[in-house]
Amino acid sequence: LGPWSRAVLNLSRADGPPGIRQLVFEEVFAEVTIAPPTDGAWELRGMVADGRDTWDFVGERTGVGLAAQLRLPAALSSEITLEQQRVERVGFSGFRQSYQDLHATLAVTRGGWGTLGLTLTRTTDPVDRPSDLFGEPTAPSALFAGVSLASRVGRSHEVELFAGRRRGGRACISGTCYEVQSLEGAELRVTSRL
């Protein structure tokens, strides 16, 4: 796209084994990045995604997001990310349920030290909303907020501290998916590479 911009387009599809219901994951993802070619003092990114994941009973998922990064003196940088996702859950009997997620992250990084981040997620997903003893939602949405602090310790270790309320679910990075456990409290994670 030129020296000031670059684009990514990803088309993904995976079919599960034949069975009672068709298992399909499909996603179209596009991202455009704009940044000055010389000093890299700032960067703006915009993304859109559309897909479905019948393994997780998601008939339709659309998302949009914006991110801005600013590189500051003294090896400091800051980044803000805003995302919106709309999901339609589809059950066996044709049952349909829609919800929306709003997500914001603010992070400050100092090279050689680590990253301090604040994450907010608001969802109208009935699975995550507060409910009474009979399972009836008592609020129109749920809010998840957390603070994280991450740093490398030496060449082989990473330490991350999270405190707050985290929404559970599947997370995928570079084609590898794993389950993130819900959390209300604090978590200390140490990763060592030998």
Side-chain angles (χ1 to χ4, degrees), residues 63-102:
V64 295
L66 293 171
Q69 184 178 48
L70 181 61
R71 291 173 189 86
L72 304 166
L76 286 171
S77 68
S78 64
E79 182 167 351
I80 185 167
T81 304
L82 303 170
E83 298 173 341
Q84 177 191 37
Q85 175 178 258
R86 294 184 186 273
V87 178
E88 183 178 72
R89 189 177 285 129
V90 179
F92 278 116
S93 62
F95 159 81
R96 294 185 178 277
Q97 183 179 62
S98 297
Y99 63 91
Q100 174 182 269
D101 296 333
L102 299 172

PDB file of all heavy atoms in Angstrom, residues 63-102:
ATOM      1  N   GLY A  63     -16.814  -8.327  13.940  1.00  0.00           N
ATOM      2  CA  GLY A  63     -16.049  -7.482  14.848  1.00  0.00           C
ATOM      3  C   GLY A  63     -15.370  -6.353  14.123  1.00  0.00           C
ATOM      4  O   GLY A  63     -15.046  -6.469  12.936  1.00  0.00           O
ATOM      5  N   VAL A  64     -15.185  -5.258  14.836  1.00  0.00           N
ATOM      6  CA  VAL A  64     -14.429  -4.111  14.336  1.00  0.00           C
ATOM      7  C   VAL A  64     -13.533  -3.632  15.472  1.00  0.00           C
ATOM      8  O   VAL A  64     -13.855  -3.820  16.651  1.00  0.00           O
ATOM      9  CB  VAL A  64     -15.330  -2.953  13.853  1.00  0.00           C
ATOM     10  CG1 VAL A  64     -16.154  -3.372  12.645  1.00  0.00           C
ATOM     11  CG2 VAL A  64     -16.220  -2.451  14.965  1.00  0.00           C
ATOM     12  N   GLY A  65     -12.419  -3.044  15.119  1.00  0.00           N
ATOM     13  CA  GLY A  65     -11.526  -2.544  16.156  1.00  0.00           C
ATOM     14  C   GLY A  65     -10.600  -1.460  15.644  1.00  0.00           C
ATOM     15  O   GLY A  65     -10.326  -1.376  14.449  1.00  0.00           O
ATOM     16  N   LEU A  66     -10.150  -0.640  16.566  1.00  0.00           N
ATOM     17  CA  LEU A  66      -9.188   0.419  16.293  1.00  0.00           C
ATOM     18  C   LEU A  66      -8.113   0.375  17.367  1.00  0.00           C
ATOM     19  O   LEU A  66      -8.408   0.093  18.534  1.00  0.00           O
ATOM     20  CB  LEU A  66      -9.852   1.799  16.331  1.00  0.00           C
ATOM     21  CG  LEU A  66     -10.866   2.100  15.245  1.00  0.00           C
ATOM     22  CD1 LEU A  66     -11.593   3.406  15.561  1.00  0.00           C
ATOM     23  CD2 LEU A  66     -10.175   2.193  13.897  1.00  0.00           C
ATOM     24  N   ALA A  67      -6.888   0.659  16.996  1.00  0.00           N
ATOM     25  CA  ALA A  67      -5.788   0.719  17.956  1.00  0.00           C
ATOM     26  C   ALA A  67      -4.864   1.856  17.572  1.00  0.00           C
ATOM     27  O   ALA A  67      -4.664   2.140  16.390  1.00  0.00           O
ATOM     28  CB  ALA A  67      -5.018  -0.599  17.983  1.00  0.00           C
ATOM     29  N   ALA A  68      -4.325   2.496  18.578  1.00  0.00           N
ATOM     30  CA  ALA A  68      -3.354   3.570  18.364  1.00  0.00           C
ATOM     31  C   ALA A  68      -2.186   3.351  19.315  1.00  0.00           C
ATOM     32  O   ALA A  68      -2.386   3.078  20.504  1.00  0.00           O
ATOM     33  CB  ALA A  68      -3.992   4.931  18.629  1.00  0.00           C
ATOM     34  N   GLN A  69      -0.976   3.450  18.776  1.00  0.00           N
ATOM     35  CA  GLN A  69       0.223   3.297  19.585  1.00  0.00           C
ATOM     36  C   GLN A  69       1.079   4.540  19.416  1.00  0.00           C
ATOM     37  O   GLN A  69       1.248   5.044  18.307  1.00  0.00           O
ATOM     38  CB  GLN A  69       1.011   2.062  19.169  1.00  0.00           C
ATOM     39  CG  GLN A  69       2.214   1.797  20.050  1.00  0.00           C
ATOM     40  CD  GLN A  69       2.953   0.539  19.643  1.00  0.00           C
ATOM     41  OE1 GLN A  69       3.239   0.348  18.464  1.00  0.00           O
ATOM     42  NE2 GLN A  69       3.256  -0.306  20.611  1.00  0.00           N
ATOM     43  N   LEU A  70       1.615   5.021  20.524  1.00  0.00           N
ATOM     44  CA  LEU A  70       2.471   6.202  20.527  1.00  0.00           C
ATOM     45  C   LEU A  70       3.769   5.840  21.225  1.00  0.00           C
ATOM     46  O   LEU A  70       3.756   5.354  22.358  1.00  0.00           O
ATOM     47  CB  LEU A  70       1.767   7.351  21.266  1.00  0.00           C
ATOM     48  CG  LEU A  70       2.504   8.679  21.359  1.00  0.00           C
ATOM     49  CD1 LEU A  70       2.761   9.254  19.961  1.00  0.00           C
ATOM     50  CD2 LEU A  70       1.706   9.654  22.200  1.00  0.00           C
ATOM     51  N   ARG A  71       4.896   6.047  20.531  1.00  0.00           N
ATOM     52  CA  ARG A  71       6.206   5.779  21.118  1.00  0.00           C
ATOM     53  C   ARG A  71       6.751   7.081  21.679  1.00  0.00           C
ATOM     54  O   ARG A  71       6.832   8.085  20.969  1.00  0.00           O
ATOM     55  CB  ARG A  71       7.131   5.170  20.067  1.00  0.00           C
ATOM     56  CG  ARG A  71       6.689   3.763  19.697  1.00  0.00           C
ATOM     57  CD  ARG A  71       7.490   3.192  18.534  1.00  0.00           C
ATOM     58  NE  ARG A  71       6.920   1.941  18.072  1.00  0.00           N
ATOM     59  CZ  ARG A  71       5.936   1.830  17.184  1.00  0.00           C
ATOM     60  NH1 ARG A  71       5.398   2.909  16.665  1.00  0.00           N
ATOM     61  NH2 ARG A  71       5.485   0.645  16.820  1.00  0.00           N
ATOM     62  N   LEU A  72       7.118   7.041  22.956  1.00  0.00           N
ATOM     63  CA  LEU A  72       7.535   8.233  23.687  1.00  0.00           C
ATOM     64  C   LEU A  72       9.025   8.157  24.004  1.00  0.00           C
ATOM     65  O   LEU A  72       9.643   7.102  23.865  1.00  0.00           O
ATOM     66  CB  LEU A  72       6.722   8.335  24.983  1.00  0.00           C
ATOM     67  CG  LEU A  72       5.205   8.342  24.792  1.00  0.00           C
ATOM     68  CD1 LEU A  72       4.503   8.092  26.113  1.00  0.00           C
ATOM     69  CD2 LEU A  72       4.754   9.644  24.174  1.00  0.00           C
ATOM     70  N   PRO A  73       9.612   9.250  24.477  1.00  0.00           N
ATOM     71  CA  PRO A  73      11.022   9.213  24.881  1.00  0.00           C
ATOM     72  C   PRO A  73      11.234   8.253  26.067  1.00  0.00           C
ATOM     73  O   PRO A  73      10.282   7.812  26.703  1.00  0.00           O
ATOM     74  CB  PRO A  73      11.315  10.658  25.309  1.00  0.00           C
ATOM     75  CG  PRO A  73      10.245  11.484  24.690  1.00  0.00           C
ATOM     76  CD  PRO A  73       9.050  10.594  24.557  1.00  0.00           C
ATOM     77  N   ALA A  74      12.473   7.976  26.382  1.00  0.00           N
ATOM     78  CA  ALA A  74      12.878   7.129  27.515  1.00  0.00           C
ATOM     79  C   ALA A  74      12.346   5.703  27.375  1.00  0.00           C
ATOM     80  O   ALA A  74      11.948   5.079  28.354  1.00  0.00           O
ATOM     81  CB  ALA A  74      12.434   7.742  28.839  1.00  0.00           C
ATOM     82  N   ALA A  75      12.305   5.178  26.152  1.00  0.00           N
ATOM     83  CA  ALA A  75      11.881   3.799  25.878  1.00  0.00           C
ATOM     84  C   ALA A  75      10.448   3.517  26.326  1.00  0.00           C
ATOM     85  O   ALA A  75      10.102   2.387  26.632  1.00  0.00           O
ATOM     86  CB  ALA A  75      12.847   2.799  26.507  1.00  0.00           C
ATOM     87  N   LEU A  76       9.607   4.544  26.377  1.00  0.00           N
ATOM     88  CA  LEU A  76       8.202   4.389  26.753  1.00  0.00           C
ATOM     89  C   LEU A  76       7.320   4.321  25.519  1.00  0.00           C
ATOM     90  O   LEU A  76       7.599   4.955  24.501  1.00  0.00           O
ATOM     91  CB  LEU A  76       7.737   5.569  27.612  1.00  0.00           C
ATOM     92  CG  LEU A  76       8.217   5.618  29.044  1.00  0.00           C
ATOM     93  CD1 LEU A  76       7.843   6.948  29.679  1.00  0.00           C
ATOM     94  CD2 LEU A  76       7.612   4.474  29.840  1.00  0.00           C
ATOM     95  N   SER A  77       6.252   3.567  25.617  1.00  0.00           N
ATOM     96  CA  SER A  77       5.222   3.578  24.579  1.00  0.00           C
ATOM     97  C   SER A  77       3.877   3.340  25.247  1.00  0.00           C
ATOM     98  O   SER A  77       3.790   2.763  26.337  1.00  0.00           O
ATOM     99  CB  SER A  77       5.488   2.510  23.509  1.00  0.00           C
ATOM    100  OG  SER A  77       5.326   1.221  24.041  1.00  0.00           O
ATOM    101  N   SER A  78       2.829   3.817  24.597  1.00  0.00           N
ATOM    102  CA  SER A  78       1.479   3.596  25.109  1.00  0.00           C
ATOM    103  C   SER A  78       0.601   3.134  23.956  1.00  0.00           C
ATOM    104  O   SER A  78       0.843   3.470  22.797  1.00  0.00           O
ATOM    105  CB  SER A  78       0.914   4.869  25.743  1.00  0.00           C
ATOM    106  OG  SER A  78       0.780   5.875  24.767  1.00  0.00           O
ATOM    107  N   GLU A  79      -0.403   2.335  24.297  1.00  0.00           N
ATOM    108  CA  GLU A  79      -1.308   1.824  23.272  1.00  0.00           C
ATOM    109  C   GLU A  79      -2.717   1.769  23.830  1.00  0.00           C
ATOM    110  O   GLU A  79      -2.923   1.394  24.992  1.00  0.00           O
ATOM    111  CB  GLU A  79      -0.883   0.430  22.811  1.00  0.00           C
ATOM    112  CG  GLU A  79      -1.773  -0.098  21.706  1.00  0.00           C
ATOM    113  CD  GLU A  79      -1.219  -1.320  21.007  1.00  0.00           C
ATOM    114  OE1 GLU A  79      -0.050  -1.683  21.245  1.00  0.00           O
ATOM    115  OE2 GLU A  79      -1.954  -1.903  20.197  1.00  0.00           O
ATOM    116  N   ILE A  80      -3.673   2.148  23.011  1.00  0.00           N
ATOM    117  CA  ILE A  80      -5.085   2.016  23.358  1.00  0.00           C
ATOM    118  C   ILE A  80      -5.749   1.211  22.250  1.00  0.00           C
ATOM    119  O   ILE A  80      -5.474   1.418  21.069  1.00  0.00           O
ATOM    120  CB  ILE A  80      -5.776   3.384  23.557  1.00  0.00           C
ATOM    121  CG1 ILE A  80      -7.216   3.169  24.038  1.00  0.00           C
ATOM    122  CG2 ILE A  80      -5.728   4.220  22.303  1.00  0.00           C
ATOM    123  CD1 ILE A  80      -7.880   4.422  24.547  1.00  0.00           C
ATOM    124  N   THR A  81      -6.580   0.253  22.648  1.00  0.00           N
ATOM    125  CA  THR A  81      -7.295  -0.596  21.705  1.00  0.00           C
ATOM    126  C   THR A  81      -8.774  -0.582  22.056  1.00  0.00           C
ATOM    127  O   THR A  81      -9.133  -0.742  23.227  1.00  0.00           O
ATOM    128  CB  THR A  81      -6.771  -2.049  21.772  1.00  0.00           C
ATOM    129  OG1 THR A  81      -5.363  -2.039  21.544  1.00  0.00           O
ATOM    130  CG2 THR A  81      -7.451  -2.930  20.743  1.00  0.00           C
ATOM    131  N   LEU A  82      -9.624  -0.390  21.062  1.00  0.00           N
ATOM    132  CA  LEU A  82     -11.074  -0.413  21.231  1.00  0.00           C
ATOM    133  C   LEU A  82     -11.651  -1.421  20.243  1.00  0.00           C
ATOM    134  O   LEU A  82     -11.326  -1.361  19.057  1.00  0.00           O
ATOM    135  CB  LEU A  82     -11.673   0.968  20.972  1.00  0.00           C
ATOM    136  CG  LEU A  82     -11.129   2.109  21.827  1.00  0.00           C
ATOM    137  CD1 LEU A  82     -11.631   3.445  21.310  1.00  0.00           C
ATOM    138  CD2 LEU A  82     -11.502   1.918  23.284  1.00  0.00           C
ATOM    139  N   GLU A  83     -12.498  -2.332  20.731  1.00  0.00           N
ATOM    140  CA  GLU A  83     -13.072  -3.368  19.867  1.00  0.00           C
ATOM    141  C   GLU A  83     -14.548  -3.572  20.181  1.00  0.00           C
ATOM    142  O   GLU A  83     -14.971  -3.429  21.330  1.00  0.00           O
ATOM    143  CB  GLU A  83     -12.336  -4.700  20.063  1.00  0.00           C
ATOM    144  CG  GLU A  83     -10.876  -4.652  19.706  1.00  0.00           C
ATOM    145  CD  GLU A  83     -10.146  -5.940  20.066  1.00  0.00           C
ATOM    146  OE1 GLU A  83     -10.666  -6.718  20.893  1.00  0.00           O
ATOM    147  OE2 GLU A  83      -9.068  -6.171  19.516  1.00  0.00           O
ATOM    148  N   GLN A  84     -15.290  -3.929  19.157  1.00  0.00           N
ATOM    149  CA  GLN A  84     -16.696  -4.291  19.309  1.00  0.00           C
ATOM    150  C   GLN A  84     -16.926  -5.597  18.564  1.00  0.00           C
ATOM    151  O   GLN A  84     -16.416  -5.790  17.453  1.00  0.00           O
ATOM    152  CB  GLN A  84     -17.616  -3.220  18.731  1.00  0.00           C
ATOM    153  CG  GLN A  84     -19.085  -3.612  18.823  1.00  0.00           C
ATOM    154  CD  GLN A  84     -19.990  -2.696  18.021  1.00  0.00           C
ATOM    155  OE1 GLN A  84     -19.627  -2.240  16.938  1.00  0.00           O
ATOM    156  NE2 GLN A  84     -21.157  -2.429  18.546  1.00  0.00           N
ATOM    157  N   GLN A  85     -17.700  -6.478  19.188  1.00  0.00           N
ATOM    158  CA  GLN A  85     -18.019  -7.756  18.563  1.00  0.00           C
ATOM    159  C   GLN A  85     -19.509  -8.046  18.753  1.00  0.00           C
ATOM    160  O   GLN A  85     -20.038  -7.867  19.839  1.00  0.00           O
ATOM    161  CB  GLN A  85     -17.186  -8.868  19.222  1.00  0.00           C
ATOM    162  CG  GLN A  85     -17.540 -10.248  18.726  1.00  0.00           C
ATOM    163  CD  GLN A  85     -16.661 -11.311  19.357  1.00  0.00           C
ATOM    164  OE1 GLN A  85     -15.750 -11.774  18.713  1.00  0.00           O
ATOM    165  NE2 GLN A  85     -16.937 -11.694  20.588  1.00  0.00           N
ATOM    166  N   ARG A  86     -20.147  -8.481  17.680  1.00  0.00           N
ATOM    167  CA  ARG A  86     -21.551  -8.929  17.741  1.00  0.00           C
ATOM    168  C   ARG A  86     -21.570 -10.409  17.407  1.00  0.00           C
ATOM    169  O   ARG A  86     -20.939 -10.836  16.434  1.00  0.00           O
ATOM    170  CB  ARG A  86     -22.416  -8.154  16.771  1.00  0.00           C
ATOM    171  CG  ARG A  86     -22.556  -6.704  17.115  1.00  0.00           C
ATOM    172  CD  ARG A  86     -23.528  -6.009  16.156  1.00  0.00           C
ATOM    173  NE  ARG A  86     -23.557  -4.598  16.389  1.00  0.00           N
ATOM    174  CZ  ARG A  86     -24.345  -3.992  17.276  1.00  0.00           C
ATOM    175  NH1 ARG A  86     -25.157  -4.719  18.013  1.00  0.00           N
ATOM    176  NH2 ARG A  86     -24.311  -2.689  17.423  1.00  0.00           N
ATOM    177  N   VAL A  87     -22.298 -11.166  18.223  1.00  0.00           N
ATOM    178  CA  VAL A  87     -22.316 -12.621  18.089  1.00  0.00           C
ATOM    179  C   VAL A  87     -23.754 -13.112  18.096  1.00  0.00           C
ATOM    180  O   VAL A  87     -24.590 -12.615  18.854  1.00  0.00           O
ATOM    181  CB  VAL A  87     -21.540 -13.296  19.244  1.00  0.00           C
ATOM    182  CG1 VAL A  87     -21.608 -14.804  19.138  1.00  0.00           C
ATOM    183  CG2 VAL A  87     -20.094 -12.820  19.270  1.00  0.00           C
ATOM    184  N   GLU A  88     -24.027 -14.090  17.232  1.00  0.00           N
ATOM    185  CA  GLU A  88     -25.312 -14.776  17.256  1.00  0.00           C
ATOM    186  C   GLU A  88     -25.051 -16.241  17.560  1.00  0.00           C
ATOM    187  O   GLU A  88     -24.407 -16.943  16.786  1.00  0.00           O
ATOM    188  CB  GLU A  88     -26.050 -14.649  15.932  1.00  0.00           C
ATOM    189  CG  GLU A  88     -27.419 -15.301  15.991  1.00  0.00           C
ATOM    190  CD  GLU A  88     -28.195 -15.137  14.708  1.00  0.00           C
ATOM    191  OE1 GLU A  88     -27.835 -15.795  13.713  1.00  0.00           O
ATOM    192  OE2 GLU A  88     -29.141 -14.330  14.715  1.00  0.00           O
ATOM    193  N   ARG A  89     -25.522 -16.671  18.727  1.00  0.00           N
ATOM    194  CA  ARG A  89     -25.375 -18.058  19.156  1.00  0.00           C
ATOM    195  C   ARG A  89     -26.545 -18.859  18.583  1.00  0.00           C
ATOM    196  O   ARG A  89     -27.680 -18.409  18.612  1.00  0.00           O
ATOM    197  CB  ARG A  89     -25.383 -18.106  20.685  1.00  0.00           C
ATOM    198  CG  ARG A  89     -25.038 -19.425  21.265  1.00  0.00           C
ATOM    199  CD  ARG A  89     -24.996 -19.355  22.796  1.00  0.00           C
ATOM    200  NE  ARG A  89     -23.789 -18.676  23.250  1.00  0.00           N
ATOM    201  CZ  ARG A  89     -23.784 -17.666  24.124  1.00  0.00           C
ATOM    202  NH1 ARG A  89     -24.895 -17.205  24.624  1.00  0.00           N
ATOM    203  NH2 ARG A  89     -22.651 -17.111  24.475  1.00  0.00           N
ATOM    204  N   VAL A  90     -26.252 -20.049  18.052  1.00  0.00           N
ATOM    205  CA  VAL A  90     -27.265 -20.899  17.432  1.00  0.00           C
ATOM    206  C   VAL A  90     -27.219 -22.272  18.106  1.00  0.00           C
ATOM    207  O   VAL A  90     -26.158 -22.881  18.205  1.00  0.00           O
ATOM    208  CB  VAL A  90     -27.009 -21.050  15.914  1.00  0.00           C
ATOM    209  CG1 VAL A  90     -28.054 -21.946  15.286  1.00  0.00           C
ATOM    210  CG2 VAL A  90     -26.996 -19.690  15.239  1.00  0.00           C
ATOM    211  N   GLY A  91     -28.381 -22.754  18.559  1.00  0.00           N
ATOM    212  CA  GLY A  91     -28.456 -24.057  19.217  1.00  0.00           C
ATOM    213  C   GLY A  91     -28.941 -25.152  18.282  1.00  0.00           C
ATOM    214  O   GLY A  91     -29.229 -24.926  17.108  1.00  0.00           O
ATOM    215  N   PHE A  92     -29.051 -26.375  18.831  1.00  0.00           N
ATOM    216  CA  PHE A  92     -29.479 -27.542  18.047  1.00  0.00           C
ATOM    217  C   PHE A  92     -30.857 -27.360  17.424  1.00  0.00           C
ATOM    218  O   PHE A  92     -31.090 -27.702  16.284  1.00  0.00           O
ATOM    219  CB  PHE A  92     -29.522 -28.802  18.934  1.00  0.00           C
ATOM    220  CG  PHE A  92     -28.183 -29.439  19.115  1.00  0.00           C
ATOM    221  CD1 PHE A  92     -27.602 -29.500  20.372  1.00  0.00           C
ATOM    222  CD2 PHE A  92     -27.497 -29.984  18.045  1.00  0.00           C
ATOM    223  CE1 PHE A  92     -26.375 -30.095  20.555  1.00  0.00           C
ATOM    224  CE2 PHE A  92     -26.267 -30.579  18.211  1.00  0.00           C
ATOM    225  CZ  PHE A  92     -25.701 -30.641  19.476  1.00  0.00           C
ATOM    226  N   SER A  93     -31.798 -26.819  18.169  1.00  0.00           N
ATOM    227  CA  SER A  93     -33.193 -26.765  17.712  1.00  0.00           C
ATOM    228  C   SER A  93     -33.531 -25.490  16.964  1.00  0.00           C
ATOM    229  O   SER A  93     -34.702 -25.144  16.824  1.00  0.00           O
ATOM    230  CB  SER A  93     -34.118 -26.917  18.921  1.00  0.00           C
ATOM    231  OG  SER A  93     -33.901 -25.826  19.804  1.00  0.00           O
ATOM    232  N   GLY A  94     -32.518 -24.754  16.490  1.00  0.00           N
ATOM    233  CA  GLY A  94     -32.777 -23.503  15.789  1.00  0.00           C
ATOM    234  C   GLY A  94     -32.827 -22.314  16.731  1.00  0.00           C
ATOM    235  O   GLY A  94     -33.076 -21.184  16.307  1.00  0.00           O
ATOM    236  N   PHE A  95     -32.615 -22.534  18.016  1.00  0.00           N
ATOM    237  CA  PHE A  95     -32.569 -21.479  19.018  1.00  0.00           C
ATOM    238  C   PHE A  95     -31.499 -20.456  18.635  1.00  0.00           C
ATOM    239  O   PHE A  95     -30.395 -20.825  18.250  1.00  0.00           O
ATOM    240  CB  PHE A  95     -32.251 -22.123  20.375  1.00  0.00           C
ATOM    241  CG  PHE A  95     -31.693 -21.192  21.404  1.00  0.00           C
ATOM    242  CD1 PHE A  95     -32.533 -20.378  22.135  1.00  0.00           C
ATOM    243  CD2 PHE A  95     -30.328 -21.136  21.648  1.00  0.00           C
ATOM    244  CE1 PHE A  95     -32.022 -19.533  23.084  1.00  0.00           C
ATOM    245  CE2 PHE A  95     -29.809 -20.288  22.598  1.00  0.00           C
ATOM    246  CZ  PHE A  95     -30.660 -19.489  23.327  1.00  0.00           C
ATOM    247  N   ARG A  96     -31.833 -19.178  18.707  1.00  0.00           N
ATOM    248  CA  ARG A  96     -30.886 -18.117  18.376  1.00  0.00           C
ATOM    249  C   ARG A  96     -30.847 -17.092  19.510  1.00  0.00           C
ATOM    250  O   ARG A  96     -31.879 -16.754  20.070  1.00  0.00           O
ATOM    251  CB  ARG A  96     -31.268 -17.422  17.071  1.00  0.00           C
ATOM    252  CG  ARG A  96     -31.152 -18.333  15.872  1.00  0.00           C
ATOM    253  CD  ARG A  96     -31.431 -17.575  14.564  1.00  0.00           C
ATOM    254  NE  ARG A  96     -31.268 -18.429  13.429  1.00  0.00           N
ATOM    255  CZ  ARG A  96     -30.107 -18.711  12.852  1.00  0.00           C
ATOM    256  NH1 ARG A  96     -29.010 -18.188  13.335  1.00  0.00           N
ATOM    257  NH2 ARG A  96     -30.045 -19.507  11.807  1.00  0.00           N
ATOM    258  N   GLN A  97     -29.649 -16.615  19.802  1.00  0.00           N
ATOM    259  CA  GLN A  97     -29.457 -15.640  20.873  1.00  0.00           C
ATOM    260  C   GLN A  97     -28.322 -14.714  20.461  1.00  0.00           C
ATOM    261  O   GLN A  97     -27.231 -15.177  20.121  1.00  0.00           O
ATOM    262  CB  GLN A  97     -29.105 -16.395  22.158  1.00  0.00           C
ATOM    263  CG  GLN A  97     -28.952 -15.558  23.377  1.00  0.00           C
ATOM    264  CD  GLN A  97     -28.621 -16.446  24.566  1.00  0.00           C
ATOM    265  OE1 GLN A  97     -27.586 -17.108  24.575  1.00  0.00           O
ATOM    266  NE2 GLN A  97     -29.494 -16.463  25.554  1.00  0.00           N
ATOM    267  N   SER A  98     -28.572 -13.404  20.482  1.00  0.00           N
ATOM    268  CA  SER A  98     -27.558 -12.424  20.076  1.00  0.00           C
ATOM    269  C   SER A  98     -27.030 -11.668  21.287  1.00  0.00           C
ATOM    270  O   SER A  98     -27.753 -11.445  22.254  1.00  0.00           O
ATOM    271  CB  SER A  98     -28.146 -11.427  19.087  1.00  0.00           C
ATOM    272  OG  SER A  98     -28.542 -12.082  17.905  1.00  0.00           O
ATOM    273  N   TYR A  99     -25.762 -11.288  21.211  1.00  0.00           N
ATOM    274  CA  TYR A  99     -25.189 -10.443  22.247  1.00  0.00           C
ATOM    275  C   TYR A  99     -24.060  -9.612  21.645  1.00  0.00           C
ATOM    276  O   TYR A  99     -23.626  -9.847  20.520  1.00  0.00           O
ATOM    277  CB  TYR A  99     -24.705 -11.257  23.456  1.00  0.00           C
ATOM    278  CG  TYR A  99     -23.588 -12.226  23.175  1.00  0.00           C
ATOM    279  CD1 TYR A  99     -22.256 -11.854  23.312  1.00  0.00           C
ATOM    280  CD2 TYR A  99     -23.855 -13.541  22.806  1.00  0.00           C
ATOM    281  CE1 TYR A  99     -21.224 -12.750  23.083  1.00  0.00           C
ATOM    282  CE2 TYR A  99     -22.833 -14.444  22.575  1.00  0.00           C
ATOM    283  CZ  TYR A  99     -21.521 -14.041  22.719  1.00  0.00           C
ATOM    284  OH  TYR A  99     -20.514 -14.933  22.481  1.00  0.00           O
ATOM    285  N   GLN A 100     -23.602  -8.643  22.437  1.00  0.00           N
ATOM    286  CA  GLN A 100     -22.547  -7.731  21.985  1.00  0.00           C
ATOM    287  C   GLN A 100     -21.473  -7.615  23.062  1.00  0.00           C
ATOM    288  O   GLN A 100     -21.771  -7.581  24.250  1.00  0.00           O
ATOM    289  CB  GLN A 100     -23.143  -6.349  21.726  1.00  0.00           C
ATOM    290  CG  GLN A 100     -22.110  -5.286  21.390  1.00  0.00           C
ATOM    291  CD  GLN A 100     -22.751  -3.940  21.183  1.00  0.00           C
ATOM    292  OE1 GLN A 100     -23.095  -3.621  20.075  1.00  0.00           O
ATOM    293  NE2 GLN A 100     -22.909  -3.156  22.227  1.00  0.00           N
ATOM    294  N   ASP A 101     -20.232  -7.554  22.621  1.00  0.00           N
ATOM    295  CA  ASP A 101     -19.093  -7.330  23.508  1.00  0.00           C
ATOM    296  C   ASP A 101     -18.422  -6.020  23.125  1.00  0.00           C
ATOM    297  O   ASP A 101     -18.229  -5.740  21.942  1.00  0.00           O
ATOM    298  CB  ASP A 101     -18.049  -8.444  23.372  1.00  0.00           C
ATOM    299  CG  ASP A 101     -18.558  -9.806  23.795  1.00  0.00           C
ATOM    300  OD1 ASP A 101     -19.466  -9.861  24.641  1.00  0.00           O
ATOM    301  OD2 ASP A 101     -18.038 -10.815  23.292  1.00  0.00           O
ATOM    302  N   LEU A 102     -18.057  -5.234  24.122  1.00  0.00           N
ATOM    303  CA  LEU A 102     -17.247  -4.037  23.934  1.00  0.00           C
ATOM    304  C   LEU A 102     -15.984  -4.225  24.764  1.00  0.00           C
ATOM    305  O   LEU A 102     -16.068  -4.639  25.936  1.00  0.00           O
ATOM    306  CB  LEU A 102     -17.992  -2.786  24.392  1.00  0.00           C
ATOM    307  CG  LEU A 102     -19.292  -2.476  23.666  1.00  0.00           C
ATOM    308  CD1 LEU A 102     -20.022  -1.326  24.342  1.00  0.00           C
ATOM    309  CD2 LEU A 102     -19.032  -2.162  22.208  1.00  0.00           C
TER     310      LEU A 102
END
